[in-house]
Amino acid sequence: MPPAEPAVADRPGDHWDRKVANGLAFLRRRLSGDYEVDEFGFDSELTDAVFHPLLRLLYRDWFRTEVSGVEHLPVDGPALVVGNHSGTVALDALILSAALHDKHPAHRYLRLLGADLVFRMPVVSEIARKTGGTVACNPDAERLLGGGDLVGVFPEGFKGIGKLYADRYKLQRFGRGGFVSAALRTGTPIVPVAIVGGEEIYPMLADIKPLARLLKLPYFPVTPTFPWLGPLGMVPLPSKWLIEFCPPIPTAHLTDSADDPLVVFNLADQVRETIQQTLHTLLERRPDPFGP
């Protein structure tokens, strides 16, 4: 006779039960304060549980992002990741940090350097700190690099994200090259990264400067959907994104030249030119901004 079948078949644990249990455990830790933040306020647990899943929906499904050149990032140890800035709203920095974390074999975090304005805004400043950001200044950059972190910087600043759509993918000035000085003082390699796709999410057609001055903003954008559609105008257009990390530029042999303006300028110009040329290459690969 064949063996009798068990009354209830064995089956793996319920997926949703585990999700609920993990969610409740997460809430208990948050409410009890049983979690850690570093000296800059970075909360890796909150970043992994809340912010990265939201950004993942954007970069994977909405922007259909393709990432290449991850092998140019160090497996461990510091690097200064320098990118182009665009998009009216600085989503490119957030997308870059989430994509890097997911694609890097060691799932490393990118510690972003942000403008003073970011850390003067309620709620936004808290989110920036919790996700690993800090003020874009050399002392903080050098402390992070000295601690072995990957640090992300966008030297164009507001000139990059606030430029008109007619100037898309034309890099703005890189300031005085402060990011280069931080890399030189710590002997950290610089990894240029080119980001295509951010220019099309909120195409800026005009900048209402009097209104920007009144609101104490660097610019007040007019796009095809904002301010005409109100809050709906904040929904980014689904452009196709390409992100490419370029080969690292070593600086260990130049640590004695951190205060030499000529060395700093030449290195900053090399980084800028590398990003600009890579942008041209990526744009040839992506002839349709809203293609598959």
Side-chain angles (χ1 to χ4, degrees):
M1 295 180 60
E5 294 186 3
V8 179
D10 293 333
R11 62 181 182 180
D14 190 302
H15 174 70
W16 288 105
D17 280 351
R18 289 197 301 273
K19 277 190 169 292
V20 170
N22 290 338
L24 291 174
F26 172 77
L27 287 174
R28 280 197 299 271
R29 288 194 299 274
R30 307 310 298 185
L31 293 172
S32 65
D34 185 21
Y35 58 90
E36 295 182 358
V37 298
D38 71 6
E39 58 182 314
F40 294 93
F42 175 44
D43 188 333
S44 59
E45 183 185 54
L46 189 65
T47 299
D48 288 341
V50 177
F51 297 115
H52 277 177
L54 293 174
L55 291 170
R56 203 168 284 130
L57 291 175
L58 272 179
Y59 93 75
R60 283 183 180 175
D61 302 326
W62 192 247
F63 296 138
R64 308 171 308 286
T65 306
E66 295 179 16
V67 181
S68 57
V70 175
E71 68 275 8
H72 296 309
L73 294 165
V75 176
D76 53 29
L80 187 65
V81 180
V82 183
N84 58 298
H85 224 3
S86 63
T88 307
V89 176
L91 273 182
D92 51 5
L94 302 178
I95 296 297
L96 177 65
S97 65
L100 185 154
H101 178 267
D102 285 358
K103 299 297 183 181
H104 194 284
H107 299 296
R108 300 190 65 184
Y109 297 101
L110 183 66
R111 308 298 297 271
L112 295 170
L113 303 181
D116 292 349
L117 177 63
V118 172
F119 297 94
R120 293 200 303 267
M121 298 171 66
V123 181
V124 173
S125 62
E126 281 296 311
I127 292 174
R129 290 284 185 190
K130 291 289 187 183
T131 54
T134 189
V135 179
C137 63
N138 274 15
D140 279 7
E142 290 172 24
R143 284 166 63 197
L144 286 167
L145 292 172
D149 286 296
L150 293 179
V151 177
V153 64
F154 296 84
E156 293 172 281
F158 289 120
K159 297 190 300 295
I161 58 175
K163 63 179 177 289
L164 296 178
Y165 186 65
D167 297 322
R168 60 193 179 278
Y169 301 115
K170 297 176 183 176
L171 264 64
Q172 306 300 297
R173 279 196 332 110
F174 269 19
R176 299 179 181 177
F179 70 96
V180 171
S181 298
L184 291 177
R185 287 194 176 90
T186 55
T188 300
I190 298 173
V191 179
V193 59
I195 305 170
V196 161
E199 298 280 17
E200 292 88 13
I201 59 173
Y202 303 111
M204 189 189 295
L205 306 178
D207 174 13
I208 306 177
K209 296 185 184 299
L211 192 52
R213 285 194 294 270
L214 180 65
L215 298 174
K216 297 182 179 179
L217 296 173
Y219 52 86
F220 189 90
V222 175
T223 77
T225 58
F226 181 85
W228 327 112
L229 299 184
L232 282 177
M234 295 303 294
V235 176
L237 298 179
S239 57
K240 169 72 175 179
W241 283 47
L242 302 175
I243 298 175
E244 181 166 334
F245 296 95
C246 305
I249 300 171
T251 67
H253 62 295
L254 296 171
T255 52
D256 294 334
S257 303
D259 297 315
D260 186 332
L262 184 59
V263 173
V264 170
F265 174 80
N266 286 339
L267 194 51
D269 194 54
Q270 180 184 352
V271 174
R272 185 179 181 279
E273 186 62 24
T274 299
I275 296 173
Q276 185 67 79
Q277 292 303 318
T278 307
L279 286 174
H280 292 323
T281 302
L282 294 178
L283 287 168
E284 290 177 1
R285 280 174 44 195
R286 191 211 63 165
D288 180 1
F290 299 98

